[in-house]
Amino acid sequence: MDSLQELFALQAALNDKIFAKRGITGNDGQILSMERLTALAKAGEGLGPNSETALWLRNFLKAHDDEARELYEELPWKWWSKDVLDLQAIRVEIVDMLHFWISLSLASGMDAADVMRIYKGKHEINEKRQDEGYSAQAKSGRDDTAVA
């Protein structure tokens, strides 16, 4: 198992533990699991605004955004201040963001291999954009929608 796959497995297990401990159930009345959430998204069924997929994408995004806010609060911004960076606290907030980023990935139906494949496809597009002098004016629609 590579490192990214291991992170995905660890995060899925942690989320499942939290769902079970808190008695969080899905629409079927059963204790929710990341396997179920991932399967629902992969199946592409019931993806409306009130679906379990939408609910958990919102929940994980809100948590991710809160961790980003906590990271921001760790960054001194007053240039006249004698404050210094607390790199350990910053690193912990970044890892906390990773927890929720992985949860978002899983809830959207992606596993580690999907993330790598989509990342590489989008990376290729970004490289091409830089080689061709990317600008908002030169952009014609979404050239990255084919990355899947």
Side-chain angles (χ1 to χ4, degrees):
M1 179 182 293
D2 73 14
S3 296
L4 189 58
Q5 289 173 322
E6 183 178 0
L7 290 175
F8 270 64
L10 288 168
Q11 188 60 44
L14 177 61
N15 288 346
D16 288 350
K17 182 177 183 176
I18 293 166
F19 293 150
K21 184 175 182 178
R22 299 281 181 220
I24 298 171
T25 59
N27 291 344
D28 63 358
Q30 301 297 311
I31 295 294
L32 194 60
S33 72
M34 289 311 296
E35 183 178 5
R36 175 178 156 71
L37 281 176
T38 302
L40 285 170
K42 282 184 183 266
E45 299 171 10
L47 297 180
N50 298 316
S51 66
E52 287 180 274
T53 299
L55 170 68
W56 284 98
L57 285 170
R58 283 190 299 269
N59 286 346
F60 291 135
L61 180 59
K62 185 175 183 177
H64 180 277
D65 288 351
D66 193 58
E67 295 300 339
R69 180 194 51 76
E70 290 178 14
L71 171 60
Y72 181 80
E73 290 174 1
E74 289 293 335
L75 302 173
W77 62 271
K78 296 175 182 176
W79 56 91
W80 61 89
S81 171
K82 293 183 180 180
D83 292 335
V84 296
L85 294 175
D86 180 345
L87 286 177
Q88 183 57 28
I90 288 167
R91 291 170 181 147
V92 168
E93 296 304 339
I94 291 169
V95 170
D96 282 345
M97 289 172 63
L98 180 60
H99 279 94
F100 293 110
W101 178 87
I102 293 170
S103 295
L104 277 163
S105 298
L106 289 164
S108 71
M110 292 191 295
D111 59 19
D114 295 324
V115 167
M116 286 302 293
R117 185 184 77 260
I118 294 169
Y119 177 90
K120 287 178 180 179
K122 182 64 165 100
H123 183 80
E124 186 177 312
I125 289 168
N126 290 344
E127 287 280 351
K128 183 179 177 186
R129 286 176 175 172
Q130 292 306 307
D131 292 344
E132 295 174 357
Y134 178 75
S135 71
Q137 293 79 21
K139 190 174 180 181
S140 60
R142 298 238 7 220
D143 61 352
D144 57 1
T145 56
V147 177

